[in-house]
Amino acid sequence: MMSEKRSSFTGRIGFVLAAAGSAVGLGNIWRFPYLAAKYGGGIFLLVYLILAVTFGFALMIAEIALGRKTGLSTIGAYAKLDKRFGFIGILGAVIPAIILPYYSVIGGWVTKYLAIYLTGQGHGAAADGFFDTFIGKPVEPLIWFLVYIGLTAIVVMFGVEKGVEKVSKIMMPILVVLTLFIAVYTMFIPGAMDGVLYYITPDFSKFSVTTVLAAMGQLFYSMSLAMGIMITYGSYMKKEDDLERSVRHIELFDTGIAFLAGMMVIPGVFAFSGGDESALGQGPGLMFVTLPKVFDYIPGGGIIGFVFFLLVLFAALTSSISLMETIVSVIMDKFKLGRKVSCLIVFAFSVLLGIPSSLGNGIWKDITLFGMDFLTFFDFASNSVLMPIVAFFTCIFVGFVIKPQSLIDEVEISSPFKSKRLFAVIIKYVAPVCIILILVSSVLNGLNIISI
Ligand code: TRP
């Protein structure tokens, strides 16, 4: 991804697909549906969509324009424009290091499910309690985690991203089609319609600050914002490519897949829980609990399950590869180390940090950090604390130090910037104020000081 010579994407479509490839991953397929189920269905969806077209839009424009303007990746980009703000880039580079280990634990679960369908044991996986028993085991999930992160490390070490990109151009569209098929099929399972309604009709009585907070954290995560990745991508973008339109397309892609994943999972919960709404609050395991039941119901579901988990594994791998690549390239630059050594360091570090995230579902269940198990804690620390902080400083930096106009000029090199007023107002005022409010309430809430 970050070669010595600053290469650029072949064109706008190439850029959009590459950025969407980073954005679309477990965040869309695994994380979005369980959050939407947990935080009130339709109301979460509505809040998420509003945030995506305002907040997400402005922040993504800012990051990509920063990258294209400076031609540098995160650590260099801020420092080049103002020395005092180089720390934002460094802070942003720490986040992938927190995400990668637990992302790989989930990736390991996906790999296990792929193996289940490969060996024709899908029916067993549809049984109640199957998933909890699996993640609660001390050794098996760790092995799958090692397999997954090992695969990621091998690709990063040999630098075969080019091939990965080619394959993902074929796999991603198939994933969309298959998700659509499963979503439509699920809708017709008796009882599923209630789930569809729960998912698309906002119930305003379920609205709370936590909904906004969860939706905002998800937005950063899903769109790979607030950690400098989009700055790096922007630095590869050509000056003549339409930046505003590209951002709209990346958002559409990312949000579209998240929406479909919700359509696939949430109605399934309704159909198979026999109207028991507490099944919605299941959390990170939701997809792994519900989908096997859906596949068990669909004729030929064993094969569909296999293809599905293969595609999800692929979407996840493309994301974890770029997460690892980001950390590896920072280490290579900072400590002047070779690729292989840097890769091994990141691998060892991620294994160490991933072990508690995996064991926290079983034998280390009773050890908690601020009331959370390890996986939830790392997820919370990165998405609900560090990313909002980086986003806040980015807004202040763009809004008051380099001024929105400098990025508007950058966007206008390629095309008129239609939403420039919206962009400036959000970056300067709306976003920083909202982020601070949300951050404070989220930290207090996460630490159980207040309950919202
Ligand atoms: N957006 C990715 C997903 O939805 C996860 C992610 C967050 C990511 N930050 C990233 C992927 C940086 C690659 C690079 O799963």
Side-chain angles (χ1 to χ4, degrees):
M1 192 168 77
M2 290 180 211
S3 54
E4 304 295 318
K5 197 171 109 277
R6 197 141 292 261
S7 55
S8 53
F9 291 106
T10 42
R12 207 183 65 81
I13 304 292
F15 172 74
V16 169
L17 285 178
S22 156
V24 175
L26 290 175
N28 308 59
I29 301 160
W30 155 74
R31 203 172 187 272
F32 184 86
Y34 92 71
L35 288 178
K38 188 167 161 189
Y39 291 106
I43 190 71
F44 181 89
L45 186 63
L46 182 69
V47 171
Y48 185 85
L49 290 178
I50 293 173
L51 288 178
V53 294
T54 52
F55 207 83
F57 171 74
L59 214 64
M60 194 180 284
I61 291 261
E63 291 201 7
I64 294 180
L66 265 175
R68 193 169 80 170
K69 185 179 168 69
T70 55
L72 294 171
S73 50
T74 172
I75 295 192
Y78 289 97
K80 181 174 178 183
L81 297 173
D82 191 318
K83 280 249 159 339
R84 294 168 300 164
F85 283 83
F87 76 94
I88 310 178
I90 298 174
L91 202 58
V94 171
I95 300 174
I98 301 178
I99 295 185
L100 180 65
Y102 84 81
Y103 199 90
S104 303
V105 171
I106 319 281
W109 299 349
V110 174
T111 319
K112 158 79 179 175
Y113 273 67
L114 177 62
I116 290 177
Y117 283 93
L118 186 65
T119 50
Q121 291 164 343
H123 182 65
D128 285 332
F130 178 87
F131 175 73
D132 286 333
T133 312
F134 162 63
I135 59 165
K137 288 184 190 161
V139 183
E140 202 194 337
L142 274 182
I143 295 176
W144 292 109
F145 158 62
L146 284 177
V147 169
Y148 181 88
I149 194 154
L151 272 176
T152 304
I154 289 171
V155 175
V156 175
M157 196 176 277
F158 292 106
V160 291
E161 307 98 68
K162 288 260 156 51
V164 171
E165 263 189 49
K166 274 211 188 93
V167 184
S168 60
K169 272 182 198 155
I170 307 167
M171 299 276 253
M172 289 315 244
I174 308 180
L175 180 66
V176 176
V177 174
L178 195 65
T179 309
L180 197 64
F181 169 79
I182 298 170
V184 172
Y185 204 103
T186 311
M187 253 163 65
F188 291 100
I189 300 175
M193 235 10 179
D194 290 340
V196 175
L197 291 178
Y198 175 80
Y199 184 44
I200 58 173
T201 22
D203 173 355
F204 290 92
S205 70
K206 293 212 171 86
F207 179 83
S208 73
V209 182
T210 327
T211 317
V212 185
L213 190 154
M216 185 172 289
Q218 172 60 16
L219 185 75
F220 292 139
Y221 187 87
S222 184
M223 297 196 176
S224 309
L225 292 171
M227 59 179 93
I229 306 281
M230 287 298 159
I231 300 186
T232 307
Y233 276 111
S235 73
Y236 297 125
M237 191 184 195
K238 282 190 184 148
K239 292 277 184 196
E240 62 266 25
D241 287 341
D242 187 333
L243 205 153
E244 188 182 13
R245 228 172 118 213
S246 304
V247 168
R248 293 226 183 272
H249 287 172
I250 299 166
E251 287 206 312
L252 197 66
F253 215 120
D254 190 69
T255 310
I257 295 195
F259 175 77
L260 280 181
M263 266 313 243
M264 178 174 75
V265 172
I266 296 175
V269 178
F270 275 75
F272 294 109
S273 67
D276 173 15
E277 288 221 358
S278 69
L280 290 168
Q282 152 93 26
L286 195 66
M287 166 178 124
F288 298 94
V289 171
T290 308
L291 287 184
K293 293 186 197 287
V294 173
F295 296 142
D296 201 34
Y297 181 88
I298 299 180
I303 295 168
I304 297 173
F306 168 72
V307 179
F308 178 79
F309 280 107
L310 182 69
L311 295 168
V312 173
L313 178 66
F314 201 78
L317 273 173
T318 55
S319 292
S320 55
I321 288 165
S322 66
L323 280 165
M324 189 182 265
E325 173 73 34
T326 313
I327 317 167
V328 166
S329 63
V330 168
I331 293 192
M332 281 167 67
D333 291 353
K334 275 264 150 202
F335 304 102
K336 306 272 172 285
L337 290 171
R339 172 169 284 269
K340 287 222 164 65
V341 179
S342 313
C343 231
L344 285 175
I345 294 174
V346 176
F347 175 75
F349 165 84
S350 306
V351 169
L352 278 182
L353 220 59
I355 288 173
S357 295
S358 182
L359 295 183
N361 298 298
I363 53 170
W364 286 4
K365 220 185 198 111
D366 298 328
I367 312 175
T368 54
L369 294 168
F370 304 107
M372 292 172 251
D373 62 60
F374 286 103
L375 197 153
T376 314
F377 173 76
F378 288 128
D379 192 72
F380 175 80
S382 47
N383 297 292
S384 305
V385 183
L386 286 173
M387 289 196 205
I389 292 177
V390 171
F392 172 77
F393 282 117
T394 304
C395 293
I396 299 297
F397 178 68
V398 174
F400 300 96
V401 181
I402 63 166
K403 302 274 163 23
Q405 191 59 43
S406 65
L407 295 186
I408 292 174
D409 291 343
E410 176 65 35
V411 175
E412 290 191 328
I413 293 177
S414 43
S415 58
F417 189 176
K418 289 191 221 91
S419 320
K420 63 180 163 200
R421 247 182 230 111
L422 178 78
F423 169 73
V425 171
I426 291 178
I427 284 285
K428 271 184 106 150
Y429 307 110
V430 184
V433 173
C434 290
I435 294 173
I436 285 298
L437 289 179
I438 287 171
L439 183 64
V440 170
S441 52
S442 105
V443 172
L444 295 182
N445 188 53
L447 304 182
N448 288 323
I449 296 173
I450 55 165
S451 172
I452 39 175

